[in-house]
Amino acid sequence: MDSDIQFMQEALGEALAAATAGEVPIGAVIVHDDKILARSGNRTIRDNDPTAHAEIIVLREAARLLGNYRLADTTLYVTIEPCSMCAGAIVQARVPRLVYGADDPKGGAVRSCFEILSNPRLNHQVEVTAGILAPEAVSLLQSFFAARR
């Protein structure tokens, strides 16, 4: 649990950096052998790419670094519950474990709107730990959107 908090703090740092750049403040890190393999915040605006969510960016970088699209023995940390696109990518990458901060009641695809990662019809299920540093993740999002309204 201590390492989950430590790595989630790193993901929150990426979310804060994304907010500073004008992006929706969601951050992710992927861990392999207790070391951060890749890290990012959302980059959809910067990259003009609707798929440039933090999760997708770190999955791509981790696969490149490991030389394999199957990311066995990794844990993905994300500040907010992944959307359906990111959940699908997590399944395709065969990530064994996801840790996330806050639920996303308007688009979460882990347990809020959809339950992609535990769907028994898929060929891979993911162990999920939710709620790690959730208040901090929610606060960051609320502050970001409050400043834009």
Side-chain angles (χ1 to χ4, degrees):
M1 188 64 139
D2 287 343
S3 62
D4 284 349
I5 291 170
Q6 172 194 346
F7 291 126
M8 187 59 73
Q9 288 171 331
E10 295 291 330
L12 284 165
E14 294 299 317
L16 183 58
T20 301
E23 301 277 359
V24 174
I26 298 174
V29 299
I30 192 162
V31 174
H32 181 259
D33 291 335
D34 294 322
K35 294 184 182 94
I36 295 175
L37 191 58
R39 60 175 61 231
S40 186
N42 274 4
R43 295 192 333 216
T44 56
I45 297 167
R46 185 191 96 175
D47 294 357
N48 290 312
D49 180 355
T51 70
H53 290 194
E55 300 96 310
I56 300 297
I57 295 164
V58 300
L59 290 172
R60 286 177 178 157
E61 180 64 7
R64 186 186 71 74
L65 291 170
L66 293 175
N68 193 337
Y69 76 95
R70 292 186 176 204
L71 302 177
D73 303 318
T74 62
T75 300
L76 176 61
Y77 293 84
V78 186
T79 56
I80 302 297
E81 179 181 8
C83 70
S84 56
M85 173 185 70
C86 293
I90 291 165
V91 169
Q92 294 302 315
R94 308 299 194 271
V95 172
R97 182 168 183 248
L98 167 72
V99 178
Y100 73 87
D103 289 334
D104 180 0
K106 294 182 180 179
V110 176
R111 69 181 187 184
S112 295
C113 295
F114 305 102
E115 295 181 2
I116 292 173
L117 299 184
S118 60
N119 190 312
R121 293 176 289 182
L122 295 177
N123 62 348
H124 178 73
Q125 283 78 46
V126 178
E127 175 190 339
V128 175
T129 302
I132 303 297
L133 300 181
E136 291 87 337
V138 168
S139 176
L140 193 53
L141 276 170
Q142 287 175 339
S143 297
F144 177 82
F145 286 113
R148 278 152 181 72
R149 290 188 179 123

